[in-house]
Amino acid sequence: MFNFNYYTPTRVIFGKETENQTGQLIKKAGGSRVLIHFGGQSAIRSGLIDRIKKSLDDAGIWHTELGGVVPNPRMEKVQEGIALGKDSRIDFILAVGGGSVIDSAKAIAYGLAEPDLDVWELFAHTRTAKACLPVASVLTIAAAGSEMSNSCVITNEKTGEKRSYNDDLARPVFAVMNPELTMTLPDYQTQSGCVDIMMHTMERYFTNGGNMDLTDGIAEALLCTVIQCAKILHADPADYEARAEVMWASSLSHNGLTGCGNDGGDFSCHMLEHEMGGMFDVTHGAALAAIWPSWARYVCKDCLPRFVKYAINVMKVEPGSTDEETALKGIEAMEDFYRQINMPTNMKELGIEPTEEQILEMTRSCAQAAGGKKGSAKVLYPEDMAAIYRMAL
């Protein structure tokens, strides 16, 4: 195992009707002028925004709001939020939604904390943040784990680039998690979220660095639970217990817990997907499902012990006559799981068929964002990235 630094300062308020505590939580955190940031009209139609506004009013907290965040959140909306925040002297950002909204809120918080600088420079990695306004969330989608993580991902619609920025400055102050708020999600969105949750753990699991038995055990239990609950929710979207398990798994998968003691993780699939999302605006979790089987087959020989362990302990396959056979059985079992929950296993099933020119453009952009190479299970160079994209067609 490697040395590690585990830092998870976010307070979690979990359970039914917990969104009604939002005003007091912000007051306790020192917020006095709040930007409520959210996505589409569903948060309004459901009454959630009104309940949160009442909670803020009861706590004596001034607030304004900005909706319209879309999946793969855009830089244009971030800039709109920064401008509104400056005009309104905002000192606290409350995200009401899932990962896209929380990521957009974090970017706005960075921009307001350093208002004379271009916030995109953080995502282009030409500078690092020195400050960030406090951010918190009322979670409505279990997927990204952004409610407890140090990361956010923004798409620059002018350049087609989808880039991440990680910094502990943006770790949320608190996260309100009421599983009931996720019950109205379409099944496709629920299952895409389950894939994203699993991938945040799998990116840390498939490494050639150090590992801890305890961390592996936590990761494997989380993955098995999400697989089971994804199937339950596919059949019965109103199952509260399954919703609760998935929502808590979302946070634990991406707050650093499942990576303690390893080399920091692989994250090649996320980098490959970012280019797919930037170019084709596809759903993040579904696109991860589409790229993972090809990545797994491409790298498994270089990380064989981990793939064998995953096949047996998570996918519950019977060992084959060789380790390679066992690893491949595990990958096939994962594909079968994706099919059971109507998730794609390749790009065509996802609904995209990039041309060779587009594959080369995604490869160039991915390699540039990764600094020329990426990976731990197997270090990928541009020619490897292109090969995986072609395999996934």
Side-chain angles (χ1 to χ4, degrees):
M1 61 169 285
F2 291 120
N3 294 354
F4 62 88
N5 186 333
Y6 179 58
Y7 177 62
T8 312
T10 305
R11 179 184 296 277
V12 174
I13 303 89
F14 196 103
K16 298 178 180 180
E17 300 182 358
T18 46
E19 65 271 19
N20 296 326
Q21 301 177 39
T22 304
Q24 288 301 321
L25 290 164
I26 293 177
K27 186 174 183 178
K28 185 176 181 180
S32 62
R33 299 183 67 83
V34 175
L35 173 62
I36 303 171
H37 200 34
F38 62 97
Q41 293 297 305
S42 61
I44 296 175
R45 288 195 302 269
S46 68
L48 176 59
I49 295 297
D50 282 343
R51 293 198 300 277
I52 289 170
K53 288 163 65 174
K54 181 180 184 305
S55 176
L56 294 175
D57 290 338
D58 290 345
I61 296 173
W62 186 91
H63 54 84
T64 189
E65 53 198 80
L66 176 63
V69 181
V70 297
N72 298 312
R74 307 295 201 271
M75 195 65 210
E76 183 179 16
K77 182 61 65 173
V78 171
Q79 297 289 7
E80 184 181 349
I82 292 171
L84 175 59
K86 288 178 181 178
D87 291 341
S88 303
R89 294 180 289 112
I90 293 299
D91 61 16
F92 198 102
I93 317 292
L94 178 68
V96 181
S100 294
V101 176
I102 301 170
D103 285 3
S104 184
K106 289 178 180 178
I108 292 170
Y110 282 127
L112 288 175
E114 298 184 272
D116 297 327
L117 299 175
D118 180 3
V119 71
W120 180 253
E121 293 173 348
L122 301 178
F123 298 90
H125 299 284
T126 57
R127 69 176 175 92
T128 57
K130 303 299 183 188
C132 184
L133 289 192
V135 177
S137 70
V138 176
L139 193 63
T140 64
I141 302 171
S146 191
E147 66 276 3
M148 288 186 76
S149 81
N150 69 348
S151 64
C152 54
V153 181
I154 298 293
T155 297
N156 187 328
E157 62 273 30
K158 293 181 180 179
T159 64
E161 295 174 296
K162 182 178 178 181
R163 296 289 181 264
S164 64
Y165 181 69
N166 301 340
D167 196 308
D168 283 338
L169 288 170
R171 284 191 183 268
V173 177
F174 66 80
V176 171
M177 302 185 196
N178 176 0
E180 288 184 320
L181 299 180
T182 71
M183 287 186 178
T184 58
L185 292 173
D187 185 60
Y188 186 82
Q189 201 164 2
T190 295
Q191 302 306 333
S192 294
C194 289
V195 172
D196 196 14
I197 293 165
M198 293 180 67
M199 281 301 305
H200 283 146
T201 296
M202 291 157 64
E203 296 278 30
R204 295 170 169 91
Y205 187 90
F206 290 108
T207 69
N208 271 316
N211 291 285
M212 295 180 69
D213 285 343
L214 180 57
T215 299
D216 280 353
I218 293 170
E220 289 164 3
L222 188 154
L223 291 163
C224 289
T225 297
V226 174
I227 289 171
Q228 178 185 14
C229 290
K231 295 175 183 177
I232 291 171
L233 292 174
H234 187 53
D236 181 9
D239 190 301
Y240 178 85
E241 299 302 326
R243 291 278 177 192
E245 296 277 5
V246 168
M247 180 169 270
W248 188 222
S250 169
S251 299
L252 297 185
S253 70
H254 205 32
N255 72 359
L257 179 65
T258 59
C260 290
N262 72 15
D263 66 357
D266 186 275
F267 287 95
S268 294
C269 284
H270 267 78
M271 295 292 288
L272 292 165
E273 188 286 326
H274 284 174
E275 303 310 321
M276 295 160 62
M279 182 173 288
F280 297 102
D281 198 25
V282 287
T283 301
H284 176 59
L288 287 171
I291 199 70
W292 186 84
S294 296
W295 170 85
R297 287 189 171 87
Y298 192 85
V299 308
C300 69
K301 290 182 182 179
D302 294 83
C303 195
L304 200 53
R306 302 298 290 173
F307 275 91
V308 170
K309 187 177 175 74
Y310 182 84
I312 294 171
N313 293 353
V314 178
M315 301 314 299
K316 310 299 184 184
V317 305
E318 289 294 324
S321 57
T322 66
D323 283 350
E324 186 174 346
E325 182 183 341
T326 302
L328 291 174
K329 287 174 69 175
I331 296 168
E332 290 167 0
M334 189 71 174
E335 289 176 310
D336 288 341
F337 163 67
Y338 285 157
R339 294 186 187 102
Q340 288 177 55
I341 60 172
N342 288 342
M343 283 286 103
T345 61
N346 56 56
M347 290 196 209
K348 188 173 183 179
E349 291 176 3
L350 180 64
I352 61 174
E353 295 186 62
T355 64
E356 179 64 16
E357 183 180 355
Q358 289 173 320
I359 286 174
L360 293 177
E361 174 57 26
M362 289 193 294
T363 297
R364 182 204 62 76
S365 184
C366 186
Q368 181 183 40
K373 60 182 180 180
K374 187 69 176 178
S376 174
K378 176 182 174 66
V379 177
L380 303 182
Y381 294 89
E383 59 269 24
D384 303 302
M385 299 172 187
I388 292 169
Y389 281 135
R390 293 186 188 108
M391 286 176 64
L393 285 173

